[in-house]
Amino acid sequence: MKLWIAPAGLHIKPASTAHVPTLARIHQRGFFHGWKENEFSSYLARPDQTPIYVASDKKNRVAGFMVLRLAKEEAELLTIMVEPKWQGKGVGKALLRAGFDDLLASETRAMFLEVDSNNEAAISLYRGFGFKQIGARPGYYSLKDGGKATAIVMRIDMV
Ligand SMILES: CC(C)(COP(=O)(O)OP(=O)(O)OC[C@H]1O[C@@H](n2cnc3c(N)ncnc32)[C@H](O)[C@@H]1OP(=O)(O)O)[C@@H](O)C(=O)NCCC(=O)NCCS
C-alpha cells in the first residue's frame, strides 16, 4: 500500500470506504455546497480517475484530505482540506506533494485548480507550491449570504 510520511507524526495514504462518512462531514462543514457521502463513494470507486489522499494520525483520525481528477495529460485539484486544529503545520503542502509524487511517472503534464479569490491561505499554499494564475471567473461561486465570489484558475506544469 502507498504511504507518505507527513509532518507532525501524520501519514498520508489512499482513502478507504471507512473514511467516507468523515470526509463528507468535514467537507460539508467547510463548504456551502459540501459533498455528500455518495459523492465521495463514487470518487473512491474510481481511484485511477479520482484518487483521494487522506492524512491521518497514528489512531487513523483524519487530519486532512485531497481529491484529484485525472484525465489523460491533465489533472485537476478538486478539493483539499485540512482540519482546523491541524492547519498551519505543513499538512496541506504534504498532501499536494503526495499527489504530485504519484503523478510524476504518469502521463499527466499539468495540474489545474479553481480557488475563491478571497481564500488567502489556499492561494498562498498553491503559489508557494508553484501554481500560477492563468485566469479568473467572476461570479463563479455562490456564497451562503447569497453573494457571488470570483474563482481564480491556476496551473502548474509537472516536471
Ligand atoms: C488551504 C489549506 C488546505 C492549507 O492547509 P494547511 O495544512 O494549513 O497548509 P500548510 O500548513 O501546508 O501551509 C502551506 C502554505 O500555505 C499557506 N498558508 C497556510 N495557512 C495560511 C494562512 N492562514 N494564511 C496565509 N497563508 C497560509 C502558506 O503559504 C504556507 O506556507 P508556509 O508555511 O511556507 O508559510 C487549509 O487552510 C484549509 O483546509 N482551508 C479550508 C479549506 C479550503 O479552503 N481549501 C482550499 C479550497 S478547495
Side-chain angles (χ1 to χ4, degrees):
M1 189 213 303
K2 284 181 190 165
L3 185 91
W4 293 266
I5 302 302
L10 300 175
H11 60 273
I12 295 172
K13 59 185 178 185
S16 66
T17 45
H19 287 122
V20 165
T22 307
L23 302 187
R25 184 167 39 77
I26 295 173
H27 205 259
Q28 286 174 39
R29 203 171 54 210
F31 292 111
F32 181 33
H33 292 296
W35 300 340
K36 299 195 172 60
E37 287 188 28
N38 63 336
E39 290 168 273
F40 279 99
S41 296
S42 65
Y43 290 146
L44 192 62
R46 298 186 303 265
D48 52 329
Q49 293 171 36
T50 48
I52 307 177
Y53 299 82
V54 177
S56 338
D57 68 7
K58 289 192 175 64
K59 293 185 174 174
N60 262 325
R61 289 174 297 207
V62 175
F65 64 93
M66 176 180 75
V67 184
L68 302 181
R69 178 185 282 138
L70 312 180
K72 298 192 176 164
E73 295 187 352
E74 293 184 357
E76 187 184 355
L77 176 59
L78 294 185
T79 200
I80 182 167
M81 294 194 80
V82 174
E83 283 279 68
K85 77 167 190 169
W86 289 103
Q87 287 179 8
K89 295 179 166 58
V91 180
K93 215 183 286 184
L95 282 162
L96 273 176
R97 174 52 58 200
F100 237 67
D101 286 351
D102 232 5
L103 295 179
L104 281 178
S106 75
E107 62 182 327
T108 304
R109 290 290 161 264
M111 191 183 291
F112 297 83
L113 62 83
E114 279 146 8
V115 58
D116 186 329
S117 62
N118 296 311
N119 192 342
E120 288 175 22
I123 292 170
S124 176
L125 166 68
Y126 303 143
R127 282 215 181 103
F129 204 80
F131 282 88
K132 305 262 188 277
Q133 180 171 347
I134 56 164
R137 296 182 179 150
Y140 186 80
Y141 295 114
S142 301
L143 304 177
K144 272 183 192 162
D145 64 6
K148 299 277 184 189
T150 296
I152 288 178
V153 185
M154 303 182 89
R155 170 190 174 120
I156 188 171
D157 292 316
M158 315 289 296
V159 285

